[in-house]
């Protein structure tokens, strides 16, 4: 199986996507093709030897061949025609806007390109934290009570609270507010990144668990369950360090009963439209009840550090991707009108 790794794009998480792609390069032994989308949304073919962070920050990637996205795949243009990039399946490794909001998924579907990643509707529901709450409710999975704040709102919150931009990941723009004097600054930080903010009660010392998985042959293939090390919450630096590491995470020391509850909640979420994707769900456990915190539709380097045999999992997932329903277009309706009434 030859994979195309699609990364970068126009997003606050652009650099995280680059680091994620580099980490995946060092994990997968399969033959890989790297397709970089820059901030101008132009695509470039990147050689494996150039997969280093400073190759992108320096702008050297612009010396590489530009790619065209069209029906069937990515193509290199030339004087003597176009050549299609040889990849069996692409992996959507674009984080945040463009990748997790559904734009790339829509393009890949539109052009008939096979890919690992959430489809359009699942992307939209998991990208927006308010919509994720609605998805959890539909799936029958608990989540914390919340408010959605806008700049023009009269804001009156119970403290302590945690503020999160509604459409952003990697804990960018997130703040814990324990005192009224901290609120205005925390709101300004969050509104720098989004016009809407999700406010939830902040629970000191709450137990948090991460679980990844995908559907293969009709059954969920689960990763280990991780209890991430954190300070007050999993901030940008801690998330960055976890998935940029090539070492495996340590499995949480929890009861079989709790493992079953977490897996059951994950399966309910996944079955709400995530076929074809490897996702990671972050859960809280409060009074032995499981609550969904967030869905990571394109987790950092696909959460490879949570799997015993990540390569086998990805290869199996690539063979279990959803297929678009064939729609027959034969113009019978127009032809029947034309034959009955003459030219239309």
């Amino acid at each position: 199986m030859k994979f195309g790794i699609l990364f970068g794009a126009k997003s606050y998480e652009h650099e995280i996507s680059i680091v994620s792609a580099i980490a995946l390069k060092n994990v997968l032994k399969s033959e890989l093709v790297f397709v970089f989308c820059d901030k101008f949304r132009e695509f470039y073919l990147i050689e494996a030897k150039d997969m280093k962070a400073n190759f992108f920050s320096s702008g050297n990637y612009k010396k590489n061949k530009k790619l065209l996205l069209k029906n069937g795949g990515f193509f290199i243009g030339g004087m003597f025609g176009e050549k299609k990039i040889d990849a069996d399946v692409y992996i959507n490794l674009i984080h945040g806007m463009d990748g997790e909001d559904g734009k790339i998924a829509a393009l890949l579907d539109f052009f008939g390109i096979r890919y690992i990643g959430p489809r359009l509707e699942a992307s939209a529901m998991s990208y927006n934290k308010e919509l994720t709450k609605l998805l959890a409710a539909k799936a029958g999975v608990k989540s914390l009570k919340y408010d959605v704040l806008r700049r023009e709102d009269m804001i009156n919150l119970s403290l302590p609270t945690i503020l999160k931009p509604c459409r952003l990941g990697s804990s960018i723009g997130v703040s814990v507010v324990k005192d009224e004097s901290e609120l205005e600054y925390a709101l300004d930080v969050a509104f720098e990144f989004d016009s809407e903010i999700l406010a939830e009660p902040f629970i000191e010392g709450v137990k948090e668990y991460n679980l990844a998985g995908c559907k293969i042959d009709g059954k969920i293939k689960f990763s280990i369950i991780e209890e991430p090390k954190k300070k007050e919450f999993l901030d940008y630096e801690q998330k960055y360090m976890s998935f940029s590491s090539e070492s495996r995470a340590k499995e949480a020391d929890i009861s079989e009963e709790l493992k079953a509850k977490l897996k059951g909640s994950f399966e309910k979420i996944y079955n709400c439209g995530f076929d074809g994707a490897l996702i990671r769900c972050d859960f809280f456990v409060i009074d032995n009840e499981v609550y969904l915190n967030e869905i990571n539709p394109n987790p950092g380097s696909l959460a490879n550090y949570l799997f015993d045999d990540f390569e086998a999992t990805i290869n199996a997932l690539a063979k279990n991707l959803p297929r678009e329903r064939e729609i027959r277009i034969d113009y019978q309706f127009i032809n029947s009108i034309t034959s009955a009434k003459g030219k239309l």
Side-chain angles (χ1 to χ4, degrees):
M1 186 73 68
K2 188 172 183 179
F3 291 107
I5 310 298
L6 186 56
F7 65 107
K10 186 176 181 179
S11 166
Y12 287 117
E13 298 173 72
H14 176 94
E15 293 169 72
I16 295 297
S17 181
I18 292 172
V19 173
S20 191
I22 293 169
L24 206 59
K25 167 185 173 285
N26 296 330
V27 169
L28 287 176
K29 299 181 179 66
S30 307
E31 188 177 358
L32 304 175
V33 173
F34 295 93
V35 175
F36 174 62
C37 181
D38 72 0
K39 64 182 180 181
F40 303 107
R41 294 178 172 138
E42 293 183 313
F43 297 101
Y44 294 84
L45 180 63
I46 308 298
E47 294 184 30
K49 66 178 179 62
D50 292 325
M51 286 296 295
K52 300 172 184 176
N54 60 7
F55 184 77
F56 303 97
S57 61
S58 66
N60 283 334
Y61 71 87
K62 293 179 182 178
K63 299 174 184 177
N64 287 39
K65 293 176 180 177
K66 276 191 179 182
L67 299 175
L68 302 172
L69 174 59
K70 53 189 293 186
N71 194 43
F74 289 89
F75 292 78
I76 300 173
M79 292 178 61
F80 303 103
E82 296 171 342
K83 180 183 177 183
K84 183 180 175 182
I85 296 300
D86 183 23
D88 299 306
V89 173
Y90 283 86
I91 297 175
N92 179 7
L93 212 59
I94 296 173
H95 302 317
M97 190 170 72
D98 284 359
E100 292 177 314
D101 62 1
K103 291 191 187 77
I104 285 293
L107 282 171
L108 296 176
D109 281 334
F110 186 81
F111 288 121
I113 300 169
R114 298 179 70 227
Y115 66 99
I116 289 173
R119 273 50 194 169
L120 175 59
E121 289 182 1
S123 295
M125 294 296 288
S126 55
Y127 179 63
N128 184 310
K129 290 179 174 62
E130 182 181 13
L131 297 183
T132 298
K133 298 281 190 180
L134 303 180
L135 176 67
K138 177 187 174 183
V141 176
K142 293 181 178 181
S143 64
L144 297 180
K145 293 181 180 179
Y146 69 99
D147 290 298
V148 174
L149 312 176
R150 298 166 185 84
R151 279 195 182 275
E152 63 272 16
D153 291 345
M154 291 291 292
I155 295 172
N156 182 21
L157 296 172
S158 297
L159 302 182
T161 188
I162 185 165
L163 304 180
K164 307 174 183 179
C166 265
R167 292 168 285 257
L168 199 59
S170 300
S171 295
I172 298 171
V174 175
S175 298
V176 173
V177 179
K178 296 181 179 180
D179 187 88
E180 194 72 32
S181 63
E182 303 167 343
L183 182 58
E184 185 176 355
Y185 177 74
L187 288 168
D188 285 343
V189 169
F191 279 128
E192 281 291 313
F193 298 100
D194 202 341
S195 59
E196 295 181 325
I197 299 171
L198 191 85
E200 294 177 316
F202 176 72
I203 304 171
E204 193 83 45
V206 67
K207 287 287 187 179
E208 186 167 352
Y209 299 98
N210 297 342
L211 175 61
C214 56
K215 186 178 285 185
I216 297 170
D217 295 330
K219 295 182 179 180
I220 302 292
K221 165 70 175 177
F222 294 104
S223 73
I224 65 166
I225 297 170
E226 175 196 26
E227 182 178 2
K229 295 178 181 178
K230 61 178 183 177
K231 298 169 187 174
E232 285 191 317
F233 66 96
L234 275 175
D235 61 18
Y236 177 93
E237 182 180 351
Q238 292 170 90
K239 286 184 177 180
Y240 171 92
M241 291 304 292
S242 68
F243 73 73
S244 62
S245 170
E246 294 171 32
S247 59
R248 286 197 63 242
K250 183 180 178 182
E251 186 158 14
D253 183 14
I254 57 177
S255 69
E256 292 301 318
E257 179 189 10
L258 182 52
K259 285 181 184 179
K261 284 185 177 182
L262 290 165
K263 289 179 178 180
S265 295
F266 181 98
E267 188 163 7
K268 288 177 182 178
I269 295 293
Y270 192 95
N271 285 333
C272 283
F274 287 94
D275 284 18
L278 190 159
I279 69 171
R280 194 190 79 214
C281 289
D282 301 345
F283 295 104
F284 293 138
V285 174
I286 304 168
D287 295 330
N288 208 35
E289 291 290 333
V290 172
Y291 293 77
L292 178 69
N293 178 24
E294 291 183 358
I295 303 170
N296 294 275
N298 298 347
S301 68
L302 292 193
N304 68 84
Y305 50 90
L306 296 178
F307 288 89
D308 291 324
D309 192 340
F310 177 71
E311 184 122 22
T313 300
I314 286 297
N315 277 282
L317 177 57
K319 296 172 184 176
N320 282 266
L321 299 177
R323 294 197 176 271
E324 186 178 27
R325 178 183 296 176
E326 289 296 326
I327 297 176
R328 183 181 176 185
I329 299 176
D330 54 16
Y331 296 104
Q332 284 189 11
F333 177 67
I334 290 178
N335 291 336
S336 67
I337 296 174
T338 303
S339 61
K341 296 186 177 180
K343 290 185 178 179
L344 189 64

